[in-house]
Amino acid sequence: MQNLYLSRDKTNSNNKIMLFDLSVRGHHPIYIRHLIKYWRDCPHSSAKGDRDLSGQLDIVVSPRFLVEHSDVVDFARSYDRDNIKFITITPAEEASLNSRKSRFKRVYRNFQEWKILCNYAKKLQASHCLVMYFDTCELPLTLGVKSPCSFSGIYFRPTFYYGELTNYQPSWKERFQQWRERLFLSRILRHPNLENLFCLDAFAVKHLDEFNTHVKAIPLPDPIEILTPSEFQVNNLKENLGIEANRKVLLLFGALTTRKGVNQLLDAIASLSPDLCQKICLMLVGESNIQKQIDSQIKVICQSKPIQIITRYEFVPEEEVQIYFHLADFVLAPYQRHVGMSGILLQAAAAQKPVLSSDYGLMGEIVRRYQLGLTVDSTIPTEISKGLTRLLVEDTEKLCDRDRMKSFAQENSAQQFASIIFQNIKQNGLTQ
């Protein structure tokens, strides 16, 4: 067990909250950063006591986290009061973890991670543990694994209620998954040490309450810090990227994988007329494990269509993300039957940019309810091309509701995210 102390513990409190997260990609480092900020900014000795956070915050992560997200560690170190401690699992523990390349391997790894969680909760004498990726614990908890302390979790992808969503037509596999999930939840929500289930899908909460257990199901914002980049920053990026004049910028941002629908998008682009292609600058921004395949598709398209396509296969630091969204005219999210929320919708709403999104599941429902843009069956390239055509030829103001976009972004503030977590943990008596 390797410790990285960020400040000295000057309290005698027995309150020790442990955050457990072995993921290093996606939203995970950002979530940890938001929790650190709230923990450090809240008073630790309050006369009123309503926002008092005392004790120690232990953050158990992979050794890779300290290397790949040193900015988060440095951010925590920039404060000089109270106590936070980053703790990495050992290299041997990390090396022993199974891959996630098959269902069986994922299941085995989930049991491994739960065992590591319990070991560190015991060593650190945690009074409460927040499982940052609760979905990975479903099977172990269903089978009755024990916990050395009370715990809560962030639930990313509930699907058991999807049958009630608009135009939802499940496959037999999805029906089975929903039945399985209900069965699991009926047992998980009766675990004696589980106290709070923070749900990133607010629509699922009332359905979780129907299980009628002691566990509190709590809607949790998918956090975003609303920052407005300067005109200079936006123009500077536009110049550095070499975006040609009189083109509409269509942005596909984030990990460029098959799950994000990048291949279907490029097939749709290939079917557009030359006149429409002349109006487009397509930006593909994010790390990719299918870079060669993407580049091959792009080469064919650019040989026959007068389109500009820009690729940046790299991780974009958090402070630069919103510059890309403010630069774009439209944001693309053609995910392939994606389960759960996507921060892309929030970034687009904060930047007041209409989206072209998958019509499936929670993403489709949010786009429709908040009028964030257009939804299409993103598994069909011709449907994507119809949506792209509408983006390019219709009045932008008729494609979305700016006020509702703003409201959607504000409802998901980073401060609200952290406040809901720590105040609900506090209500269970973990802070003094």
Side-chain angles (χ1 to χ4, degrees), residues 19-66:
L19 308 185
F20 182 82
D21 197 345
L22 300 187
S23 298
V24 295
R25 289 285 183 265
H27 305 291
H28 299 272
I30 300 170
Y31 288 3
I32 290 174
R33 181 188 177 104
H34 293 325
L35 293 173
I36 289 171
K37 185 177 190 303
Y38 187 86
W39 178 270
R40 305 314 298 255
D41 289 349
C42 263
H44 283 231
S45 58
S46 168
K48 295 181 180 179
D50 58 338
R51 297 183 69 224
D52 176 25
L53 293 175
S54 60
Q56 183 167 304
L57 185 66
D58 292 331
I59 308 170
V60 178
V61 294
S62 158
R64 290 169 53 208
F65 187 96
L66 300 187

Side-chain angles (χ1 to χ4, degrees), residues 185-407:
L185 285 169
S186 69
R187 293 182 58 84
I188 291 170
L189 295 175
R190 287 174 171 78
H191 193 289
N193 285 358
L194 176 59
E195 295 186 348
N196 305 293
L197 193 56
F198 300 105
C199 192
L200 288 167
D201 181 345
F203 301 141
V205 169
K206 69 176 183 179
H207 302 283
L208 289 166
D209 287 339
E210 291 170 359
F211 287 93
N212 194 29
T213 70
H214 68 283
V215 176
K216 290 172 60 180
I218 302 164
L220 185 69
D222 195 348
I224 181 173
E225 284 189 286
I226 301 175
L227 306 171
T228 303
S230 68
E231 186 176 349
F232 170 79
Q233 289 176 304
V234 174
N235 289 336
N236 187 54
L237 178 60
K238 185 173 184 178
E239 183 178 343
N240 289 340
L241 292 171
I243 296 173
E244 298 169 1
N246 302 318
R247 290 188 183 268
K248 296 290 186 181
V249 177
L250 277 58
L251 173 65
L252 180 62
F253 188 93
L256 302 174
T257 63
T258 55
R259 183 176 63 85
K260 294 292 183 72
V262 61
N263 303 120
Q264 288 80 0
L265 171 64
L266 290 172
D267 286 342
I269 292 283
S271 69
L272 294 177
S273 68
D275 287 344
L276 285 177
C277 287
Q278 188 69 54
K279 300 178 180 180
I280 295 174
C281 171
L282 176 64
M283 287 204 309
L284 305 177
V285 181
E287 296 174 303
S288 180
N289 57 5
I290 54 168
Q291 180 177 337
K292 289 183 179 179
Q293 185 179 345
I294 294 172
D295 286 341
S296 178
Q297 282 185 274
I298 290 174
K299 182 178 180 181
V300 172
I301 293 170
C302 290
Q303 286 174 344
S304 59
K305 304 287 184 179
I307 190 172
Q308 182 181 23
I309 301 179
I310 296 172
T311 57
R312 297 199 82 171
Y313 299 119
E314 60 187 22
F315 175 79
V316 178
E318 182 67 13
E319 61 272 14
E320 298 177 19
V321 169
Q322 291 199 6
I323 304 175
Y324 281 92
F325 283 83
H326 279 266
L327 171 61
D329 293 289
F330 305 103
V331 175
L332 308 179
Y335 292 27
Q336 301 296 293
R337 298 184 77 80
H338 173 74
V339 172
M341 179 55 176
S342 169
I344 298 301
L345 299 183
L346 283 164
Q347 294 286 357
Q352 295 276 285
K353 307 296 178 170
V355 301
L356 178 64
S357 167
S358 163
D359 63 1
Y360 179 82
L362 179 61
M363 284 182 64
E365 195 73 14
I366 284 176
V367 172
R368 288 187 289 267
R369 292 200 188 191
Y370 286 92
Q371 299 179 40
L372 305 181
L374 304 177
T375 62
V376 298
D377 184 346
S378 58
T379 64
I380 305 174
T382 54
E383 293 301 308
I384 298 177
S385 64
K386 290 177 185 177
L388 293 171
T389 300
R390 290 188 61 189
L391 292 182
L392 295 167
V393 302
E394 293 188 15
D395 181 357
T396 302
E397 295 305 311
K398 295 180 179 179
L399 297 175
C400 58
D401 184 322
R402 304 286 184 184
D403 290 337
R404 299 207 67 189
M405 294 170 82
K406 182 179 180 181
S407 174

Side-chain angles (χ1 to χ4, degrees), residues 117-132:
L117 180 154
C118 291
N119 288 341
Y120 279 82
K122 290 176 185 176
K123 291 175 184 178
L124 297 169
Q125 297 181 316
S127 52
H128 192 83
C129 175
L130 176 63
V131 186
M132 299 291 290

